[in-house]
Amino acid sequence: MTDPFSLTAMDIFRFATHIGLTHYLLLAALLFAIGLFGLLTRRGIIPALMCVELMLNAVNINLVAFNHYLPMPDHSGQLMAIFSIAVAAAEIAIGVALAFRVYRDRNTVNLDDLDHLKG
Amino acid sequence: MDFMAVQTEILILILLLATLVMDLAIAKGASRRPVAYLTAAGLAAIFAHTCGLFHEGDSPVFCMGLFIADNYALFFKQLFLLGMIFTVLFSLDYAEKCLTCAGEFYSLLLSALLGMCVMASANDFLTAFIGLELMTVSFYILVGFRLSSADSGEAAVKYLVVGAGSTAVMLYGISLVYGTGGSLDFAVVCQNVHLFYAAGLAGTVLVIVGFFFKLSVIPFHMWAPDVYQGAPTPVTALLAMASKAAGLAVFMRVLFAAFPFLGEYWLPVVAGFSALSIIGGNLLAIRQTDLKRMLAYSSIAQAGYMMAGIAAANYPGVKAVMFYAMLYVFANVGAFAVLSVVDAERGGTSQRHVTGLSQAAPLLAAVMTISLLSMAGIPPTAGFAGKIYIFTAAVDRGHLWLAFIGFVMSMISVYYYLQVTKAMYRDLAPEEEALAAPLRVPPAAKAVALISAAATLAAGICPEGLAILTNLASRTFMQ
């Protein structure tokens, strides 16, 4: 590995044009960070669930990319990604049902307004 | 494909389907008690069956090592089964009175149990993830199961948002571990030196943080008190004992089977967070007036004690954690059996609701006191023996400071546990005389309360029986 400060224009050009594992990992990290940021800042139930969905999709990109680039691919990464998609769907289904339920009881889907439980 | 390895899970699945069909067969509006009886009887039969599965020598594995049925997993499965049987029995009347779809309640309990059993046997990140999600997703529904109470829905939403977020964090960690470790199999991951790269270490950290969320370790605990308070009382009991034990079972296996060579990195972390949970959980419990909320903070502290055993990272430590998890089940069953009777009869679980319980239902008050003393670790209850095992293991490892913190905080915890006893046994003011009226206690709840109190005392007076079992179970695991 060369010193990062001695990057030539050619190196940068090569990084930008040859898609490799790093690009997928960077994309996944970015998606995960956006999702986590949204989960911590957005206060509605539905946006929070959408952010979780972003984080889980970041995981899927990671898993599939690693599976492709690992020296001895055994498809377990792809398998895990399929299970993670299924679990995400189940969580969202329950999440939306609970959002309906809370809206019926409390007339709001804002997480900050759900403050009846405290000690 | 050795299907003998998954026989417990197959039996639970059959029972789950049977309860679903039976619920459909019973006429609309009729009592769902037969479903509960079927669940309890089926679980008791499965429990008896698992007793014969303990073995010497090699453990059966399923599907190329994805799933392993060793003694360690069997011990935890028995623990979940016990907790579930007792919960079904003491919630008979509660389910009928407070829950609208009691039939489905039992099916969901069984699917949560199935998830826990898969977790205990997981020998691969894929299996661990599937088991964890099966359990958590069932619990999201169970927490929101009390349709008549708005608090229950609120608790379920909070649990779902935090739970889904922590699942995503853990999965991201697993994906990084997969990328650096080259596999999802614990045995392969632990041999790969690439795990020491930055990405591997980051993945390990995220996996551990995900588990801390699930175990509600301070500072990842903020969801636990709200969820425990809002959930239906039997579900709270399961969250406190079974779900936590399942999380611990898979956490220990991940740490000792997948990341053993990273020990010098995670050992101080586990010890530190253990101390934080013990201190924080006990201090925050002091000012709670709602008993379910108080027990939530107490369960955070108990998770801290059990993590002190993990931080010892040796065979006595694992043994102590398993011993403690089992006796915590007995203590919790006693406390929550009483609470669900009080909740169903008096419509709440705050200290005000248990006032005068010594006159209304002397047996329940006595059982509650014994259970709380066991959680505090007062001899001759089982909690004392459990804490001795854990603290000895921690001191052996050189964590004298951790044992000291645990000891001091146990003394402090006696204060808030005895506050409940004081509320139950104090003399009633003249305007509170109505609270002394005898409480109707369902026979099943009475029997469960008695059994749990007897087990707590028996395991405290002669812990050898349980210790032999935990020895056997931890030996096959730690080798």
Side-chain angles (χ1 to χ4, degrees), chain A residues 25 28-30 32 36 39 44-45 48-49 52 55-56 58-60 62-64 66-68 70 72-81 83-84 87 90-92 94-96 98-99 101-102 104-106 111 113-119, chain B residues 125-126 129-130 133 136-138 140-141 143-158 160-161 163-169 171-184 199 206 226-227 229-230 287-288 293:
Chain A
L25 295 189
L30 199 65
F32 187 82
L36 190 60
L39 184 65
I45 296 174
L49 289 176
V52 169
M55 292 161 81
L56 289 172
V59 173
N60 293 342
N62 247 358
L63 285 170
V64 175
F66 275 132
N67 192 80
H68 183 74
L70 275 183
M72 286 179 294
D74 57 352
H75 297 298
S76 56
Q78 295 187 28
L79 201 63
M80 185 88 175
F83 275 108
S84 129
V87 164
E91 269 175 0
I92 296 301
I94 294 175
V96 173
L98 285 174
R101 153 118 201 254
V102 166
R104 197 195 58 200
D105 288 339
R106 294 268 159 84
L111 286 170
D113 296 336
L114 297 178
D115 54 0
H116 281 240
L117 293 169
K118 58 183 162 209
Chain B
F125 280 111
L126 180 60
F129 168 67
I130 295 171
E133 282 311 299
T136 328
V137 169
S138 311
Y140 296 150
I141 310 175
V143 167
F145 217 81
R146 198 168 173 181
L147 291 178
S148 55
S149 144
D151 284 348
S152 173
E154 180 183 331
V157 163
K158 286 182 174 170
L160 179 99
V161 171
S166 67
T167 299
V169 169
L171 260 182
Y172 194 74
I174 291 177
S175 77
L176 291 178
V177 169
Y178 170 67
T180 48
S183 172
L184 288 169
L206 290 178
D226 288 355
V227 172
Q229 189 184 353
R287 51 183 285 269
Q288 306 302 328
R293 216 176 162 82

Side-chain angles (χ1 to χ4, degrees), chain B residues 77-210:
Chain B
K77 283 177 199 176
Q78 290 207 315
L79 184 153
F80 309 144
L81 282 165
L82 266 186
M84 196 61 80
I85 295 169
F86 285 139
T87 308
V88 168
L89 286 178
F90 75 66
S91 62
L92 278 175
D93 281 55
Y94 183 92
E96 213 158 3
K97 203 176 251 178
C98 306
L99 304 177
T100 25
C101 317
E104 288 154 29
F105 178 67
Y106 298 108
S107 308
L108 282 167
L109 285 183
L110 287 173
S111 85
L113 175 66
L114 187 59
M116 292 173 204
C117 289
V118 172
M119 278 166 86
S121 276
N123 200 26
D124 185 292
F125 280 111
L126 180 60
T127 326
F129 168 67
I130 295 171
L132 185 65
E133 282 311 299
L134 182 55
M135 178 190 84
T136 328
V137 169
S138 311
F139 269 123
Y140 296 150
I141 310 175
L142 283 170
V143 167
F145 217 81
R146 198 168 173 181
L147 291 178
S148 55
S149 144
D151 284 348
S152 173
E154 180 183 331
V157 163
K158 286 182 174 170
Y159 191 29
L160 179 99
V161 171
V162 177
S166 67
T167 299
V169 169
M170 192 195 289
L171 260 182
Y172 194 74
I174 291 177
S175 77
L176 291 178
V177 169
Y178 170 67
T180 48
S183 172
L184 288 169
D185 192 341
F186 292 167
V188 180
V189 167
C190 85
Q191 286 162 357
N192 201 322
V193 287
H194 293 132
L195 211 55
F196 284 91
Y197 284 175
L201 291 178
T204 315
V205 167
L206 290 178
V207 169
I208 291 178
V209 166

Side-chain angles (χ1 to χ4, degrees), chain B residues 240-406:
Chain B
M241 53 187 179
S243 141
K244 196 152 277 190
L248 269 172
V250 70
F251 187 43
M252 281 203 280
R253 209 192 283 270
V254 167
L255 288 182
F256 294 129
F259 306 142
F261 302 117
L262 296 174
E264 61 175 304
Y265 294 106
W266 58 255
L267 269 178
V269 174
V270 171
F273 280 98
S274 151
L276 209 57
S277 293
I278 295 175
I279 296 173
N282 280 322
L283 288 184
L284 289 169
I286 289 176
R287 51 183 285 269
Q288 306 302 328
T289 50
D290 187 279
L291 256 61
K292 269 164 49 180
R293 216 176 162 82
M294 185 271 273
L295 285 171
Y297 281 110
S298 139
S299 90
I300 291 171
Q302 309 290 349
Y305 292 125
M306 288 191 253
M307 274 180 33
I310 299 181
N314 49 13
Y315 158 70
V318 173
K319 185 190 129 190
V321 173
M322 296 167 82
F323 188 91
Y324 202 87
M326 185 58 109
L327 63 90
Y328 187 50
V329 166
F330 291 133
N332 247 316
V333 163
F336 279 100
V338 176
L339 272 188
S340 51
V341 172
V342 171
D343 195 7
E345 296 292 322
R346 291 183 175 173
T349 53
S350 69
Q351 264 187 24
R352 190 163 46 84
H353 291 102
V354 296
T355 305
L357 200 65
S358 62
Q359 291 166 46
L363 176 76
L364 293 192
V367 170
M368 186 75 162
T369 308
I370 292 173
S371 300
L372 292 179
L373 286 181
S374 179
M375 288 185 203
I378 303 289
T381 56
F384 177 68
K387 281 197 173 127
I388 282 192
Y389 283 135
I390 284 191
F391 294 157
T392 328
V395 170
D396 279 350
R397 184 74 191 189
H399 295 315
L400 186 60
W401 59 278
L402 192 53
F404 181 73
I405 288 177

